[in-house]
Each structure stands twice: as structure tokens, then as C-alpha cells.
Amino acid sequence: MSLSLAEIRELAAKYPSPPVVGTVGSHSAIDVADGAVSEGLRSLILAEAGRDATYTRYFRTVRSADGSRVRGCVDDVWTFPKFAEIVTPAVQERLRSQGVVLVPNRAFSSYVPLDAIEDEFRVPIVGSRALLRIEERSERENYYTLLEQAGIATPRPIPSPEAIDRLAIVKLPHAKRRLERGFFTVASAAEYRAKVDRLVARGTVLPSDLETARIEEYVLGPVFNFNFFFSPLVPRDQGLELLGVDERRESNLDGLVRLPAAQQLELNDSDRIPEYLVVGHGTLTVRESILEEVFRMGEKFVDAARARYPPGILGPFCLQTCIDRTGRPVVFDVAARIGGGTNVHLALGHPYGNALYRGPMSSGRRIALEIRTASEQGRLAEIVT
Ligand code: AMP
């Protein structure tokens, strides 16, 4: 990484107080904007032309003649032909000159090349820049490596298609929509070969992606995505918070499970294979006796991330789990930044976040509170990289 932490922290130390809260317009941007204005900060959305109406029109701040907010939470929108332009020197300069700190989300790390974020983007990021790359399953060192170092339960890896001896999930990108999943499940080596043929013919998977695909045990159990927050501004034993839990709705996978078995069997061949396209989220709470394990898991992750990628987690992160038949959460994915499902508690807060803060506390609001607190204490440099 040719960008040094010291350089970014020096920039942040010179920022006006409070800074402007910027994020990329997709994913969890409304939550971040809502949180910012709830904490009295200004929000900025970096949008892409053609997919900006949510921000430029529908959630745009409208003020009365005296300047007070009438509706909306998006104070400013900058629209670009392509998201990747966010890293051009002119845009970086504009962001810095307006005192913008950027809250990274998956749209940022998917649409802006990671090399550019790591090496060229001289704007303070609220969170850990170095951890964005661990989400890439194709990287040699990724979130599985870190979870292993942390001693957190993950689905058992299956080394090759020939070794498939139970229900397994094969993880690779979608053949055409490269940022989406081309995942499929199989229970034997023979089924793997047959299904691959069908999925290649259908245009869901590319044969070249199969070589690097991760194959792992399919954990039979409900999905619980734990949205945590870690603050470096307080003593370590108070740093970890659980704000909320979400689950996903996945296009035709959810359509399939809503059909009775007899109707499922009537479907034609291609409709029977689910695709894992996330289209929305629901909110959950977890059985209370499982919470202890959830917190243990969160603590281990924070410690491992700090040891391997200092300064480690700063702010929100999400551990995505399936809870197995023994009640144990098994982590199959990690977001070392705000998770994709936090809009479930946007503006309202979540039972866990609210119980902790004695009032509405969403992920977006918690991030803004951290930024405001750090800024007021002259410690903004400690929460950015
Ligand atoms: P991901 O892209 O890792 O977030 O996974 C997308 C979806 O695939 C999840 O929401 C789960 O429904 C499913 N999934 C991923 N890994 C596993 C696993 N090991 N066992 C069961 N379901 C999984």
C-alpha cells in the first residue's frame, strides 16, 4: 500500500469539525445519510448517473425558507458517469476541501478498483481500508483466513469436487453479472458434474471460474447477519456493540421456498435451481442464550483483525452466519464495513441498538455518532484510515 496511515490521519486531523459524512449511493447509503443528519451532520451521496434518483429526488433534503429540514436526509449529491471516477485527483481534492470523510460500503469496494482505494485515494475513510480486500474470495488471504486465525467457526472447506460427500455450496461469481453470485449446491461428485453442465449451458457459471471456486459444507440453518460496531474511542472492554441482526431475501431462492413441495416438483429444470441474488432484508433477534457466543465471536474477530491488519476494525462490521442444528453460529461471510442489510433498522433503530443507547440507534446513526464524538474530542484521526 503506497498510502500511509500517517498521511491520512494527518489529513483528518486538519479537517473541520464536524466533517461531512459521504458515502457511495447504493447498498446502505440511506442508512448512512439518515444517521448523519440525525446526529446533526451533513450528508453527501456520491451517485452514478442513471441510478441516482433515490438520492437526487426521493430522499433529497428539502428545507423551508428559514433553512430548517422539512423532509429527506440527503443534503448533497455529486453524480458521476461512473462510480470509479470518485478516485480521480479532482474529485479527491473536492472531497478533502469540503471536509468529507467517506463511509465505505460494498458499492464503493466493488465499483472502485481496490488497488486505487488502497494506493491512490487520499481521503479519510471511516473504517479500515486494508480490510476491504479480505472480502474477495479469490484473494489468497481473505476473510476465511482471518476467521481461521480468530478461531471462529466457518463451514468446513471441501478441497475438490471429487471430495464432495454431503450437501455443499460452490461459491463463484455469476457468469454474466460478475458482481453477483453464481453459487450452486450439490451433494456428490456426480451431481457436481451434471449440475455444472446445466449451469454452464444456462449461462450462470463460467468453466474458468470453477478452478478457483470455494466449495464448502452447506450449513443447514437460518441465516443471521450480525451487525456489530467496534469503537476504538472507549476502553477495549466497552468497544464491541451488537446493533442489530438481519436476514436476506434472495430472488428465486425465496420464491422457491414459498412453494409447496408438489408445486416445486412441477417447475421446469431451470426454475428449480435457485440463484442467490439478494433483493432485500428482514430483521431478526436471536435466541438470548445464543448471544453470549455471538459476542465471543465478535470479540475474537476484532482482536484478530487488529493483530493481522492494524489498526483493525474501526466502526461497523457484519458477521454473516447460518445457525447450525446445535445453535452454533457458523460464519460464511464477513463485511469488515457496514453490512448490506442495515437498512432494516434505518431511522427506527434496532431492538439491540436501542436497548444499548436508550433511543433509536441504527448502524448509520452509530457511525455518525462516532464521527461526531471523535471530531468533538479532536480524535477524528483515530477512526479513519
Ligand atoms: P454470501 O455471498 O457469502 O453472502 O452468501 C450468499 C448466500 O448464500 C447466503 O445468504 C446464504 O443463504 C448462502 N450461503 C453461503 N454460504 C453458505 C453455507 N456455507 N451454508 C449455507 N448457506 C450458505
Side-chain angles (χ1 to χ4, degrees):
M1 221 184 274
S2 62
L3 255 180
S4 79
L5 182 60
E7 181 182 353
I8 294 292
R9 293 194 153 177
E10 223 169 275
L11 272 175
K14 291 191 210 125
Y15 260 32
S17 180
V20 173
V21 181
T23 197
V24 168
S26 192
H27 195 260
S28 49
I30 305 173
D31 185 22
V32 170
D34 170 77
V37 303
S38 301
E39 286 297 315
L41 308 180
R42 272 190 86 77
S43 66
L44 164 70
I45 300 293
L46 307 173
E48 188 171 277
R51 48 188 296 183
D52 59 315
T54 304
Y55 315 103
T56 48
R57 183 169 170 200
Y58 296 106
F59 285 91
R60 189 74 192 248
T61 304
V62 176
R63 296 184 188 274
S64 62
D66 68 1
S68 55
R69 185 181 303 279
V70 178
R71 54 179 270 175
C73 58
V74 176
D75 294 334
D76 285 304
V77 187
W78 299 353
T79 306
F80 304 96
K82 285 276 162 237
F83 282 126
E85 287 194 22
I86 294 166
V87 286
T88 56
V91 177
Q92 290 189 38
E93 180 48 40
R94 193 170 164 207
L95 288 164
R96 285 190 299 264
S97 68
Q98 306 216 3
V100 178
V101 288
L102 192 94
V103 177
N105 58 24
R106 186 60 177 153
F108 177 60
S109 59
S110 298
Y111 297 120
V112 178
L114 282 169
D115 288 340
I117 295 174
E118 290 174 348
D119 299 336
E120 294 161 30
F121 190 58
R122 291 179 161 77
V123 174
I125 287 181
V126 181
S128 191
R129 194 180 291 249
L131 278 162
L132 297 176
R133 194 180 281 278
I134 67 164
E135 287 181 48
E136 306 305 322
R137 276 183 276 260
S138 53
E139 293 284 326
R140 202 174 48 81
E141 247 196 81
N142 55 26
Y143 67 86
Y144 287 111
T145 334
L146 188 58
L147 289 167
E148 201 178 305
Q149 285 163 7
I152 293 174
T154 56
R156 193 175 61 91
I158 299 176
S160 69
E162 291 68 43
I164 298 172
D165 58 352
R166 66 186 68 187
L167 188 60
I169 184 163
V170 183
K171 298 184 163 183
L172 70 175
H174 193 281
K176 298 185 192 115
R177 301 185 304 268
R178 299 299 286 163
L179 296 177
E180 295 294 343
R181 301 162 187 81
F183 292 7
F184 59 95
T185 58
V186 280
S188 67
E191 191 193 342
Y192 175 91
R193 287 188 293 273
K195 213 162 194 180
V196 161
D197 288 346
R198 279 152 70 200
L199 288 168
V200 169
R202 190 170 94 164
T204 305
V205 309
L206 286 178
S208 52
D209 286 327
L210 288 163
E211 285 145 39
T212 49
R214 168 161 172 115
I215 309 177
E216 67 187 29
E217 176 185 13
Y218 188 93
V219 181
L220 271 179
V223 171
F224 279 67
N225 298 331
F226 294 99
N227 295 296
F228 291 102
F229 192 92
F230 179 76
S231 174
L233 301 178
V234 294
R236 173 66 188 86
D237 63 345
Q238 290 166 31
L240 183 70
E241 302 164 11
L242 175 66
L243 295 177
V245 189
D246 71 79
E247 61 171 337
R248 295 165 171 214
R249 296 285 185 277
E250 283 152 326
S251 65
N252 72 334
L253 172 62
D254 277 275
L256 279 169
V257 298
R258 293 182 67 234
L259 287 175
Q263 264 175 279
Q264 290 180 2
L265 293 172
E266 285 164 7
L267 292 173
N268 66 35
D269 193 47
S270 83
D271 283 339
R272 271 190 217 173
I273 304 178
E275 295 210 8
Y276 293 77
L277 179 72
V278 178
V279 292
H281 306 89
T283 188
L284 293 170
T285 55
V286 69
R287 180 181 167 143
E288 200 146 318
S289 60
I290 297 177
L291 273 177
E292 292 272 331
E293 179 55 22
V294 170
F295 281 114
R296 265 196 296 276
M297 209 170 66
E299 298 286 3
K300 284 184 194 168
F301 189 75
V302 165
D303 286 339
R306 185 183 293 196
R308 182 67 193 90
Y309 301 93
I313 292 284
L314 308 169
F317 68 102
C318 180
L319 298 182
Q320 296 172 227
T321 74
C322 286
I323 303 211
D324 73 8
R325 72 183 83 186
T326 66
R328 182 183 64 145
V330 181
V331 180
F332 63 82
D333 203 355
V334 165
R337 35 118 189 123
I338 187 167
T342 69
N343 278 356
V344 291
H345 51 242
L346 111 89
L348 286 172
H350 188 277
Y352 295 130
N354 299 359
L356 199 56
Y357 280 90
R358 319 304 316 141
M361 189 51 72
S362 59
S363 290
R365 185 159 190 173
R366 183 65 189 85
I367 294 167
L369 173 65
E370 188 81 344
I371 295 171
R372 188 167 63 72
T373 308
S375 178
E376 285 169 2
Q377 295 178 0
R379 301 174 69 187
L380 189 61
E382 292 175 45
I383 64 163
V384 299
T385 57

